[in-house]
């Protein structure tokens, strides 16, 4: 009988140790997940702020400009083309960061499997 009690105690202690180790692993995964999500949020909000700034610049330019000559029309077209390139850069940068965060999340998913 004492052998069974000792074996049960050892099994209980082994289970507690395994659970404690898993708890530490999950806590680390949770911290990593929080960091990835915070970084993704920062990228998204940063891109939105930059796009809002570009939009404000374009709206201000439209409100202030009266294109009356072909030269002014070409200048304004160049301005709009520059803004289009700026928007594309912002979107491409955000997309690349998003794809990198998606990969990081996929790797984190493995750490949560039992």
């Amino acid at each position: 009988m004492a052998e069974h009690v000792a074996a049960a105690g050892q099994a209980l202690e082994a289970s507690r140790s395994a659970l404690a180790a898993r708890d530490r692993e999950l806590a680390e995964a949770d911290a990593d997940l929080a960091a990835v999500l915070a970084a993704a949020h920062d990228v998204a909000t940063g891109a939105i702020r930059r796009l809002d700034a570009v939009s404000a610049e374009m709206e201000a330019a439209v409100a202030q400009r009266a294109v009356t000559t072909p030269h002014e029309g070409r200048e304004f077209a160049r301005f709009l083309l520059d803004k289009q390139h700026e928007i594309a850069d912002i979107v491409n940068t955000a997309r690349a960061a998003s794809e990198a965060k998606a990969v990081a999340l996929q790797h984190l998913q493995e750490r949560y499997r039992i």
Side-chain angles (χ1 to χ4, degrees), residues 36-80:
V36 169
L37 293 177
H41 179 266
D42 289 345
V43 167
T45 56
I48 290 167
R49 274 193 307 275
R50 290 178 61 203
L51 289 170
D52 286 345
V54 170
S55 175
E57 289 176 35
M58 292 173 69
E59 287 177 13
V62 168
Q64 293 173 359
R65 291 188 191 222
V67 177
T68 57
T69 66
H71 177 70
E72 290 172 340
R74 284 189 298 275
E75 285 181 10
F76 192 63
R78 276 193 291 274
F79 168 79
L80 292 175

